[in-house]
Amino acid sequence: DAKTTQPTSMDCAEGRAANLPCNHSTISGNEYVYWYRQIHSQGPQYIIHGLKNNETNEMASLIITEDRKSSTLILPHATLRDTAVYYCIVRVENTDKLIFGTGTRLQVFP
Amino acid sequence: NAGVMQNPRHLVRRRGQEARLRCSPMKGHSHVYWYRQLPEEGLKFMVYLQKENIIDESGMPKERFSAEFPKEGPSILRIQQVVRGDSAAYFCASSLRDRIYEQYFGPGTRLTVT
């Protein structure tokens, strides 16, 4: 699996967009990018995934660069409840396990 | 549609006792995964099961740990002769067969070994 690099922590003001970067420079053509988050003491929560194209759902948007070496998760209007650790994961199709790194600890402040 | 259920939520065991952690997947999900999270660390994959089959147990310690997902009933993670180092949060996740990376996690079981 391709290795990912994320900043250790980030801050964001409530109501503003939170942009969480992820570097996956060794990603190969059939590897997807997945994002999960873990709110304190809870189980992780699936957010979004993508391969090449940008993706959007009710929770977030995922922007993947054309060369696929990096991506950004965007929470358009961060709330205090978005405070969590965000994990960027890449995987090869048809493999089975999620490999969680250390993630980015996002703190949303009032 | 109920989410992934885990019980107990908190479990205290003395060294040498057995711990049994249960996980009921989401309705319609046939794949179950167990992860362990040590205090202040990330989640580590332990085992991946389908009904009556262990698919990948590459993250399971070789001794004292076992997992099953019987035809009927919840998945069970069993830890025999627990030691203090087993104290952790154990999370179960489930998925559909064709969406194994969209995993839905339970609330976890926090095991404390005294």
Side-chain angles (χ1 to χ4, degrees):
Chain A
D1 288 340
K3 183 177 172 58
T4 63
T5 304
Q6 299 178 252
T8 303
S9 63
M10 295 181 65
D11 290 339
C12 179
E14 190 177 19
R16 304 298 292 270
N19 297 288
L20 293 98
C22 179
N23 185 293
H24 31 79
S25 58
T26 60
I27 197 170
S28 59
N30 60 347
E31 290 187 318
Y32 287 74
V33 180
Y34 277 73
W35 283 83
Y36 278 75
R37 73 180 181 183
Q38 187 176 22
I39 296 170
H40 182 62
S41 297
Q42 298 182 21
Q45 177 186 23
Y46 164 80
I47 301 174
I48 198 167
H49 74 280
L51 181 63
K52 296 180 187 176
N53 301 320
N54 298 337
E55 303 287 345
T56 295
N57 63 20
E58 65 278 2
M59 288 183 68
S61 295
L62 174 61
I63 309 298
I64 303 174
T65 58
E66 194 168 340
D67 64 6
R68 304 210 323 117
K69 293 183 184 301
S70 65
S71 60
T72 301
L73 179 75
I74 301 173
L75 308 179
H77 305 287
T79 71
L80 298 178
R81 286 177 293 183
D82 292 321
T83 293
V85 178
Y86 287 77
Y87 297 98
C88 170
I89 301 167
V90 298
R91 64 103 178 178
V92 177
E93 191 174 6
N94 296 325
T95 59
D96 51 47
K97 47 177 144 330
L98 288 169
I99 308 294
F100 287 86
T102 53
T104 296
R105 187 173 297 274
L106 175 69
Q107 179 70 53
V108 180
F109 58 90
Chain B
N1 187 11
V4 177
M5 311 273 283
Q6 289 188 251
N7 65 81
R9 294 292 306 278
H10 299 273
L11 182 61
V12 179
R13 284 287 178 265
R14 286 196 293 272
R15 278 179 298 171
Q17 291 185 319
E18 178 179 286
R20 280 188 182 236
L21 288 63
R22 286 176 288 278
C23 169
S24 296
M26 284 182 69
K27 187 176 180 180
H29 285 192
S30 56
H31 295 218
V32 165
Y33 315 80
W34 286 93
Y35 295 81
R36 177 166 66 175
Q37 188 169 34
L38 296 170
E40 302 304 320
E41 293 189 14
L43 286 95
K44 303 293 185 190
F45 167 82
M46 298 182 75
V47 62
Y48 162 35
L49 309 104
Q50 296 175 23
K51 286 282 188 183
E52 299 184 286
N53 283 309
I54 296 175
I55 306 303
D56 182 347
E57 56 182 347
S58 57
M60 287 274 275
K62 293 287 186 285
E63 297 177 352
R64 302 189 297 108
F65 285 72
S66 62
E68 63 177 7
F69 188 17
K71 188 176 180 180
E72 301 291 337
S75 175
I76 306 287
L77 180 67
R78 182 181 177 207
I79 311 172
Q80 295 179 289
Q81 299 176 329
V82 296
V83 301
R84 288 225 173 100
D86 297 332
S87 295
Y90 292 83
F91 291 97
C92 168
S94 71
S95 75
L96 294 169
R97 179 178 57 84
D98 57 351
R99 294 189 177 183
I100 61 175
Y101 258 61
E102 289 181 40
Q103 297 180 14
Y104 293 83
F105 283 77
T109 293
R110 275 145 190 85
L111 173 66
T112 302
V113 179
T114 61

